[in-house]
Structure formats: structure tokens, C-alpha cells
């Protein structure tokens, strides 16, 4: 059994067949899916889906691309949504200097505000960091040891992974770990301590190698876990057990 700790099933790419996608995910042995949000509408949709489906949970938050939409009213609504029993994290939030779709000063401010919200409501955070390692760490450090966070779809080398681990963060691996050229990422997957990582799809994006070019879905998280089992030289059921247990503890999802 596995947990897909980061999906986006609320997106309209699943409007035609969402029921079927969720059904085959459960059938394939994925026991829960956490839908991460990127703006206010997607946060509301993630909560609604979590109410409709037993195996679905939600994270509410605003992605750095949409950072300019995080005004005080939005923050208040996120605070209300976060009280829902199936909301297990705030996110995704963070910094994206690759696409820079919101000005960097606005991204930093939205990141800080959501970190403070997470501390206030006592939930873990899902962090999106693309080409912004230094500023991401600097902002996290301002919040000291209060942040229980995961670097979602980790990108970086062992040195950066080490910094994250020393700050108490978790690391989550997605489809790129299966790509032929991702040697550095597989080195990180072999390296991270057993109690500090889990797996995700980030679907509909980042489809694992065996279905690359197609829409991604939570059942494909198995390919991510299999690759990690291979690089860590442990059996697949052991990786499933470890990542599921780590994710349950991190997100506070009872067994
Ligand atoms: Ni995502």
C-alpha cells in the first residue's frame, strides 16, 4: 500500500473521468491521495473532493505562480478551510524562480504569510521550490524550528538534501526520479534517511518514465516507489511500508 502525498485531482484535466481515476488508484493499492492546492478555487475544490471520497485528503494554499492572489481575504478563507478535519497541510507554497509568474518580492511575502498560517493552525507545510534554494531556506530559517515541512518534488543534490534534513524537513520524490538523466536525484533517493522521505505523483504533471507524455495519475506513484526501492537496494514492499508510515506521521493521518 502506498500514499500519493501530492496530487492535483481537482484540476479540470480529470473532469471527464475523475471517478474512474480514483477507483483504479484505490484498486491498485494506493490507500490515500493528498490533493495539494495552488489557489483559492483549487483549495475549495480539494476540500470538496475530500468530503466526497473517503481516501482523499486536502492541502490548502497558494502556489508561488499565483502568489499575487494571496490577499488578506484569501488568507482568512484558507484559515477557515484549514480547520476542516480532512485538511492535512498548508500548500503548496514557496518560491518558483524558474518561471517567475509572480514578482519575487510577492512570492516571498506569500510564502512567509502561509508559513505563519501553518504555525498558527498547527499543520505541516508542502513547499514548492524551483531554482530558489537559497531564498527558500532563508525564509524557512526565519520561522526557526516551528516548521514541519516537506520539499515536494525534490530537486537538488545531496548537499542541498542534507541542508533540508538538518533543518528537520522531509523530502518527497516524484516522477523525475524515474527519468534516465536524473542521476543526481537517484543519488539523493539512495542517501536520504529512512524516516525522512515519501513519494508523490504531482499529477497531472511529471508522469513517470513508463507513461511519459501521457497524463499522470496517482496509481503511477508505484513507479516512483519501485525506482526508489531499486536505488536503495531494498524490496518494494519495504519502501511502501516506510513511505506510507512516514507520510501518515507527517500529515497526521491515522492508520
Ligand atoms: Ni504540485
Amino acid at each position: 500500500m502506498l500514499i500519493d502525498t501530492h496530487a492535483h485531482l481537482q484540476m479540470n484535466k480529470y473532469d471527464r473521468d475523475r471517478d474512474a481515476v480514483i477507483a483504479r488508484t484505490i484498486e491498485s493499492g494506493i490507500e490515500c491521495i493528498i490533493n495539494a492546492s495552488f489557489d483559492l478555487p483549487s483549495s475549495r475544490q480539494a476540500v470538496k473532493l475530500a468530503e466526497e471520497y473517503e481516501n482523499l485528503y486536502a492541502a490548502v494554499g497558494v502556489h508561488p505562480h499565483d502568489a499575487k492572489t494571496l490577499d488578506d481575504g484569501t488568507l482568512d478563507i484558507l484559515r477557515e478551510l484549514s480547520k476542516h478535519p480532512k485538511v492535512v497541510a498548508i500548500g503548496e507554497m514557496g518560491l518558483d524562480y524558474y518561471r517567475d509568474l509572480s514578482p519575487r518580492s510577492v512570492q516571498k511575502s506569500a510564502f512567509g504569510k502561509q508559513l505563519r498560517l501553518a504555525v498558527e493552525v498547527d499543520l505541516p507545510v508542502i513547499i514548492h521550490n524551483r531554482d530558489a534554494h537559497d531564498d527558500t531556506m532563508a525564509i524557512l530559517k526565519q520561522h526557526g524550528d516551528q516548521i514541519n515541512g516537506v520539499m515536494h518534488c525534490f530537486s537538488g543534490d545531496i548537499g542541498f538534501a542534507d541542508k533540508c534534513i538538518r533543518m528537520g524537513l522531509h523530502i518527497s520524490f516524484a516522477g523525475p526520479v524515474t527519468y534516465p538523466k536524473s542521476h543526481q536525484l537517484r543519488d539523493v533517493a539512495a542517501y536520504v534517511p529512512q524516516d525522512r522521505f515519501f513519494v508523490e505523483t504531482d499529477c497531472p504533471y511529471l508522469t513517470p518514465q513508463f507513461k511519459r507524455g501521457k497524463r499522470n495519475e496517482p496509481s503511477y506513484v508505484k513507479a516512483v516507489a519501485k525506482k526508489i526501492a531499486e536505488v536503495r537496494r531494498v524490496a518494494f514492499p519495504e519502501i511502501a511500508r516506510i513511505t506510507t508510515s512516514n507520510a501518515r506521521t507527517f500529515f497526521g493521518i491515522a492508520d
Side-chain angles (χ1 to χ4, degrees), residues 153-172:
C153 188
F154 182 84
S155 62
D157 57 13
I158 286 183
F160 183 58
D162 217 27
K163 277 188 193 162
C164 294
I165 287 155
R166 272 190 268 126
M167 272 193 70
L169 301 173
H170 282 66
I171 284 176
S172 178

Side-chain angles (χ1 to χ4, degrees), residues 133-144:
H133 291 354
D134 291 347
D135 283 0
T136 299
M137 296 309 261
I139 291 173
L140 284 169
K141 273 184 189 139
Q142 289 167 7
H143 295 82

Side-chain angles (χ1 to χ4, degrees), residues 6-8 36-38 63 92 128 152 200 202-203 205:
H6 190 114
H8 299 292
S37 302
F38 36 91
H63 191 284
E92 52 190 292
H128 172 105
H152 120 78
E200 61 170 82
D202 202 14
C203 67
Y205 313 109

Side-chain angles (χ1 to χ4, degrees), residues 175-243:
V177 80
T178 67
Y179 298 166
K181 288 181 181 164
S182 300
H183 302 291
Q184 179 178 277
L185 197 52
R186 283 188 287 276
D187 288 346
V188 174
Y191 170 81
V192 286
Q194 171 158 322
D195 59 343
R196 297 291 276 283
F197 71 97
F198 33 82
V199 288
E200 61 170 82
T201 57
D202 202 14
C203 67
Y205 313 109
L206 302 174
T207 309
Q209 187 66 23
F210 84 115
K211 292 278 186 181
R212 213 166 168 183
K214 301 253 165 53
R215 182 189 68 177
N216 198 1
E217 64 174 59
S219 61
Y220 300 167
V221 76
K222 211 176 257 183
V224 176
K226 277 190 176 147
K227 181 54 77 177
I228 295 174
E230 191 186 309
V231 301
R232 290 177 78 91
R233 299 169 194 272
V234 297
F236 170 74
E238 178 64 0
I239 286 296
R241 188 190 64 76
I242 291 166
T243 56

